[in-house]
């Protein structure tokens, strides 16, 4: 289970654009590096990340070795109803992670 | 796509030789120099940038035309560290159910894996914008390619100079 920091505003007005940020602690191993024994370290990146807002998919990212270590993403969603902004991701080794935060929508 | 600022450095080798030969021939007889000038006029257009990316983009677009102008790619022109290059892409789109960005591709010309990331968006995304940090193996063009809900493709490219490259390719490790 990897660690992530997410930033979701706790309150927003209905229809407002809110900025979402996520940074996952992950080496994003490229698969081109070698360890000190000269053995290739297998590629391991957060290949799939999904952001769901109140159960609906709003944002998805497939990331490869071209994304820097500790992947950081910043994007927007439209505040509709109070609820959860939930992230889930999986890396090439099958390790899963998740994080979520509540957003309260005031009219 | 943007043409390189210095077309001569991108001129292909054969054309360069042809031009050089015509100059060399004319140099002996200054009177024939004007004859060599049309050779410059016929100089082939500079190497299209992103030549390496054409097959990748074709695979994504399935041969559909790619237009410019709706995508904006912000990336430093000079990146000190190729391991971590900040990048912001935004697409001019209302992001409504009828008209929104469905997929956004970040492509690299020189990285061993040309597709840096594939981002899925929806009307719930509200604004077609993304900020992230990428790795770049050397100075190159970076392309942002957006697919709209109507199936059209829009792209923008930026030229980045990388001083300390990210060792992405095993061939670079000596």
């Amino acid at each position: 289970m990897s660690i992530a920091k997410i930033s979701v505003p706790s309150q927003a007005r209905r229809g407002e654009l809110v900025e979402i940020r996520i940074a996952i602690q992950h080496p994003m191993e490229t698969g081109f590096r070698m360890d000190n024994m000269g053995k290739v370290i297998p590629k391991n990146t957060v290949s799939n990340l999904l952001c769901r807002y109140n159960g609906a998919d709003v944002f998805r990212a497939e990331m490869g070795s071209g994304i820097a270590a500790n992947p950081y993403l910043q994007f927007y969603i439209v505040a509709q109803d109070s609820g959860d902004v939930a992230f889930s991701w999986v890396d090439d080794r099958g390790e899963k992670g998740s994080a979520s935060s509540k957003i309260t929508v005031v009219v | 796509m943007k043409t390189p600022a210095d077309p001569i450095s991108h001129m292909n080798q054969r054309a360069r030789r042809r031009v050089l030969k015509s100059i060399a021939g004319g140099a002996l007889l200054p009177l024939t120099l004007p004859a060599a000038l049309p050779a410059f006029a016929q100089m082939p257009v500079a190497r299209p940038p992103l030549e390496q990316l054409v097959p990748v983009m074709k695979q994504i677009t399935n041969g559909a035309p790619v237009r410019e102008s709706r995508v904006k790619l912000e990336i430093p022109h000079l990146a000190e560290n190729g391991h971590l290059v900040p990048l912001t892409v935004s697409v001019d789109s209302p992001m409504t159910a009828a008209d929104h960005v469905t997929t956004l591709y970040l492509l690299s010309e020189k990285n061993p894996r040309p597709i840096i990331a594939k981002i899925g968006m929806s009307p719930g995304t509200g604004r077609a914008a993304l900020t992230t940090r990428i790795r770049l193996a050397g100075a190159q063009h970076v392309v942002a390619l957006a697919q709209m809900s109507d199936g059209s493709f829009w792209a923008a490219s930026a030229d980045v100079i990388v001083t300390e490259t990210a060792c992405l390719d095993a061939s670079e490790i000596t």
Side-chain angles (χ1 to χ4, degrees), chain A residues 28 46-47 59-68 73, chain B residues 60 87 103-108 111 113-120 130 132-134 143-145:
Chain A
M28 296 297 273
V46 177
S47 43
F59 180 90
R60 188 186 286 276
E62 288 172 34
M63 298 180 277
S65 55
I67 294 288
L73 295 165
Chain B
I60 293 169
L87 163 152
T103 321
L104 182 65
Y105 297 87
L106 299 179
L107 307 172
S108 144
N111 283 10
R113 297 191 187 97
I115 298 178
I116 298 172
K118 183 182 166 189
I119 308 294
L130 173 81
T132 186
R133 303 181 298 212
I134 63 168
V143 171
L145 177 65

Side-chain angles (χ1 to χ4, degrees), chain B residues 6 11 19 34-35 46 48 62 78 97 100 104 110 113 115 117 153 160:
Chain B
D6 177 15
M11 192 165 66
V19 172
N62 222 340
L78 179 71
H100 60 271
L104 182 65
K110 282 197 187 147
R113 297 191 187 97
I115 298 178
F153 287 93
V160 190

Side-chain angles (χ1 to χ4, degrees), chain A:
Chain A
M1 170 105 184
S2 36
I3 305 159
K5 247 187 185 170
I6 62 172
S7 151
V8 176
S10 56
Q11 221 180 56
R13 281 191 308 275
R14 192 176 306 261
E16 191 185 335
L17 265 183
V18 293
E19 190 183 275
I20 310 290
R21 296 193 294 257
I22 178 166
I24 304 170
Q25 211 176 77
H26 197 281
M28 296 297 273
E29 219 32 270
T30 61
F32 299 112
R33 293 197 322 144
M34 287 176 200
D35 61 16
N36 4 351
M37 304 303 284
K39 238 175 68 184
V40 172
I41 306 169
K43 173 179 174 282
N44 182 26
T45 62
V46 177
S47 43
N48 256 298
L49 177 137
L50 177 66
C51 174
R52 309 186 82 184
Y53 175 38
N54 276 337
D57 298 5
V58 284
F59 180 90
R60 188 186 286 276
E62 288 172 34
M63 298 180 277
S65 55
I67 294 288
N70 302 325
Y72 168 81
L73 295 165
Q74 182 195 317
F75 58 95
Y76 297 87
I77 63 170
V78 184
Q80 305 255 322
D81 294 296
S82 299
D84 279 330
V85 176
F87 284 95
S88 59
W89 62 92
V90 62
D91 69 8
D92 292 334
R93 276 159 60 175
E95 267 182 54
K96 291 184 178 120
S98 61
S100 78
S101 184
K102 273 205 183 341
I103 182 164
T104 307
V105 174
V106 289
V107 184

Side-chain angles (χ1 to χ4, degrees), chain B residues 122-133:
Chain B
S122 65
T125 314
R127 180 187 286 173
L130 173 81
T131 298
T132 186
R133 303 181 298 212

Side-chain angles (χ1 to χ4, degrees), chain B residues 13-32:
Chain B
Q13 286 292 332
R14 202 195 294 168
R16 185 183 310 203
R17 241 174 275 140
R18 205 191 314 139
V19 172
L20 287 176
K21 217 187 269 173
S22 59
I23 296 171
L28 295 170
L29 292 166
L31 280 174
T32 61

